[in-house]
Amino acid sequence: MNKKEKVPYVVTSKSYTAVAINCAAKAGEWIKSRIGTVKQLSTKTSAQDLVTEVDKGAEQMIRKLILTHFPDHAILGEEGVEPGAEASMKALEAAKEEPYLWIVDPIDGTTNYVHGFPFYSVSIALAHKGEVIVGVVYDPSRDELFIAEKGKGAYVHGNPTLVSKESSLSQSLLATGFPMDTSFNLPQNMAGLQALLPKVRNVRGGGSAALHMAYVAAGRLSGYWELGLNAWDVAAGALLIQESGGKVTDTEGRPYDLAVRNVVATNGAIHESVLDTLSEAEATGFRKD
Ligand code: 2AM
Ligand code: CA
């Protein structure tokens, strides 16, 4: 090698999980410090689909940090992909075979963030050949950091997380979301809500998929379902739930993988009941043709 050629400095011997935690904590603190200061509110696919300069700044911060430690890893971040379902699916298709792929949502729950409703999160996952091996969800409002490592369990505040024990829908507290796509996903999700609500204790719609999934992992929710999500909303939360003893599939019961957009995530015990109810209500979000 030419002696004068500049070789970028790479910090070695830092674990993937440590980097994920560092990124989530740093970005989360910065996001929180900027709450109420959003200057440029832009819309993506519709007037409801919001993005701010804070989303973009946080993603940049996370990208830089990841690449400082792992310059040859790939990164799929919400703000690096064109808006809309098709672009998301294409970006994932192109990236999912990468040996190491970081999947980043700098703010999951941007609408809440913009309104000062304290239920939003930073979601960071690392997939190895398509399988999620690290998942971190950070809630800056409560300073709660949820961490999962494949095969090693999941933790919040250093304590292991465990899904809840409810075994029937009538004892269950569920959460869902209200999709942006008003032509198909929204009416489908509303049909699911209509069918599930009378059977359960109640349903919450907090507005952050990743945080809802972290709550399922921690036993604060019995289950969660939503249609039309993206890989960055779900990847970290899925590992948290699996490592806490719960179950994550698509709405037709197929095992979770990075391409799953219609998600059912539960404590395991109520999983079949949720799937059956959605199926009976024809509310799985899969077109019949
Ligand atoms: P976001 O805040 O990162 O956009 C709430 O129902 C969930 O849906 C949130 O996790 C939110 O993530 C996500 N969401 C918001 N807009 C979306 C869109 N256009 N397509 C898919 N998911 C969306
Ligand atoms: Ca986001």
Side-chain angles (χ1 to χ4, degrees):
M1 190 189 293
N2 181 344
K3 265 191 178 170
K4 281 183 187 150
E5 207 174 298
K6 258 199 171 174
V7 179
Y9 174 64
V10 177
V11 180
T12 51
S13 74
K14 195 127 198 235
S15 81
Y16 302 142
T17 310
V19 171
I21 291 170
N22 199 349
C23 286
K26 256 196 140 156
E29 267 166 40
W30 182 71
I31 288 163
K32 194 178 165 188
S33 76
R34 299 291 310 274
I35 201 160
T37 69
V38 170
K39 290 190 197 81
Q40 259 193 317
L41 189 58
S42 318
T43 55
K44 296 204 268 188
T45 52
S46 69
Q48 286 84 28
D49 199 355
L50 305 178
V51 63
T52 72
E53 73 273 10
V54 184
D55 297 74
K56 292 174 187 162
E59 182 160 322
Q60 266 315 103
M61 185 185 280
I62 294 167
R63 279 176 183 270
K64 271 192 194 156
L65 250 168
I66 291 171
L67 293 176
T68 303
H69 294 280
F70 309 115
D72 49 0
H73 285 191
I75 302 175
L76 176 70
E78 175 166 22
E79 309 313 333
V81 175
E82 290 298 312
E86 209 171 304
S88 306
M89 286 190 267
K90 267 195 189 152
L92 177 64
E93 195 51 45
K96 77 175 188 218
E97 298 305 325
E98 291 281 346
Y100 286 95
L101 175 67
W102 293 80
I103 302 159
V104 175
D105 191 347
I107 308 182
D108 187 50
T110 300
T111 307
N112 288 345
Y113 180 72
V114 166
H115 285 262
F117 183 87
F119 197 82
Y120 55 89
S121 57
V122 182
S123 175
I124 300 177
L126 173 62
H128 179 236
K129 294 182 184 163
E131 184 186 35
V132 183
I133 56 169
V134 175
V136 169
V137 174
Y138 181 53
D139 168 4
S141 311
R142 287 164 204 76
D143 190 25
E144 283 194 316
L145 183 65
F146 300 86
I147 302 164
E149 282 185 290
K150 179 92 196 158
K152 292 189 183 161
Y155 301 84
V156 60
H157 294 306
N159 298 313
T161 48
L162 198 61
V163 293
S164 65
K165 292 193 168 55
E166 297 85 38
S167 57
S168 70
L169 288 180
S170 61
Q171 304 165 313
S172 294
L173 181 63
L174 301 188
T176 189
F178 305 106
M180 300 284 162
D181 165 25
T182 52
S183 64
F184 182 69
N185 283 331
L186 181 62
Q188 280 278 293
N189 223 67
M190 294 312 279
L193 181 63
Q194 184 92 26
L196 278 162
L197 193 46
K199 296 188 178 186
V200 297
R201 280 204 177 135
N202 218 319
V203 177
R204 303 292 178 238
S208 165
L211 208 45
H212 278 144
M213 292 182 80
Y215 277 26
V216 173
R220 299 172 188 175
L221 286 168
S222 324
Y224 163 74
W225 91 99
E226 186 165 345
L227 309 179
L229 293 170
N230 290 305
W232 46 80
D233 300 316
V234 182
L239 186 63
L240 281 165
I241 293 174
Q242 287 161 347
E243 290 295 325
S244 303
K247 190 166 178 180
V248 185
T249 67
D250 74 7
T251 47
E252 290 183 337
R254 286 176 287 261
Y256 171 74
D257 70 39
L258 290 179
V260 168
R261 301 175 62 81
N262 302 330
V263 177
V264 174
T266 73
N267 64 2
I270 62 161
H271 206 86
E272 287 305 313
S273 306
V274 175
L275 290 178
D276 289 348
T277 307
L278 292 177
S279 166
E280 279 162 26
E282 299 189 358
T284 59
F286 287 98
R287 291 175 201 270
K288 284 209 145 171
D289 30 89

